[in-house]
Amino acid sequence: KRLFRYCYTWDVYAREIDLLRLRYGLQTIYLATDDPAIVTTAIQNSTYNWVYVDWPREQLAKPKPWVEFRQNLDEHVPLSLAAELEVLSHADMFVGSFGSQVGRSIYFGMNAHTRTGSLPPFVSVDGYGLCCDFREDCTEADILARNRPMRTCIEKG
């Protein structure tokens, strides 16, 4: 049984962020990550305004299993997760992982707060879509066979 998810390098996210900037004029980025090195790398990029919850991420350093299976985590983990979910729910675009329940929760929160009445633009760097997550087979044929409408994917995850 796999107890971890692949983590992408900062370059993967940066490339997608730059594309969204070109397309939509993106300037301010709300950042959520387990990796303290990502925060350092991101804020060194002076062409964006960065917003993030500052908390001690070192206890989540890799390689370790998913947070659900870890021992000895302090109160920063659940409280920072709640804070990040709230802050990021007000973002206008999403670049992240839909294979992550946290990533999906952030995007669903964004849908609840959207001011446009349409789905916010998103890039799922791991290739998972809203109608397919790490618990399912995600070939195109599998997704089409489920015949799950987008509204169902958003409302029920």
Side-chain angles (χ1 to χ4, degrees):
K1 182 176 176 180
R2 191 174 65 132
L3 298 179
F4 63 91
R5 203 175 46 258
Y6 181 78
C7 294
Y8 294 86
T9 64
W10 171 246
D11 294 342
V12 172
Y13 293 91
R15 183 173 45 253
E16 300 300 336
I17 289 168
D18 289 341
L19 290 173
L20 287 176
R21 179 183 209 167
L22 291 172
R23 181 171 282 171
Y24 299 102
L26 179 67
Q27 185 58 41
T28 299
I29 300 173
Y30 296 87
L31 176 65
T33 179
D34 295 347
D35 190 343
I38 295 291
V39 175
T40 302
T41 301
I43 60 177
Q44 289 173 350
N45 180 344
S46 61
T47 61
Y48 294 104
N49 301 320
W50 295 98
V51 178
Y52 61 96
V53 178
D54 191 15
W55 62 280
R57 292 168 167 82
E58 290 74 19
Q59 63 187 309
L60 297 179
K62 298 167 194 74
K64 291 184 182 175
W66 291 338
V67 169
E68 295 88 340
F69 300 108
R70 295 186 192 184
Q71 302 289 324
N72 304 320
L73 296 176
D74 69 20
E75 72 279 1
H76 289 100
V77 174
L79 295 175
S80 65
L81 176 57
E84 286 179 339
L85 287 170
E86 176 58 25
V87 169
L88 273 75
S89 72
H90 297 280
D92 295 320
M93 291 171 237
F94 177 85
V95 175
S97 168
F98 283 153
S100 160
Q101 293 302 329
V102 172
R104 295 165 75 85
S105 296
I106 289 167
Y107 189 72
F108 294 149
M110 290 169 61
N111 283 295
H113 290 96
T114 186
R115 297 176 299 276
T116 63
S118 59
L119 294 174
F122 67 87
V123 175
S124 178
V125 297
D126 59 8
Y128 287 104
L130 288 175
C131 285
C132 191
D133 68 27
F134 67 94
R135 300 167 296 177
E136 301 176 303
D137 292 324
C138 295
T139 67
E140 185 175 354
D142 291 325
I143 294 168
L144 292 173
R146 282 193 284 278
N147 195 25
R148 199 177 298 159
M150 183 58 77
R151 180 174 293 282
T152 300
C153 298
I154 293 168
E155 292 173 351
K156 298 183 178 160

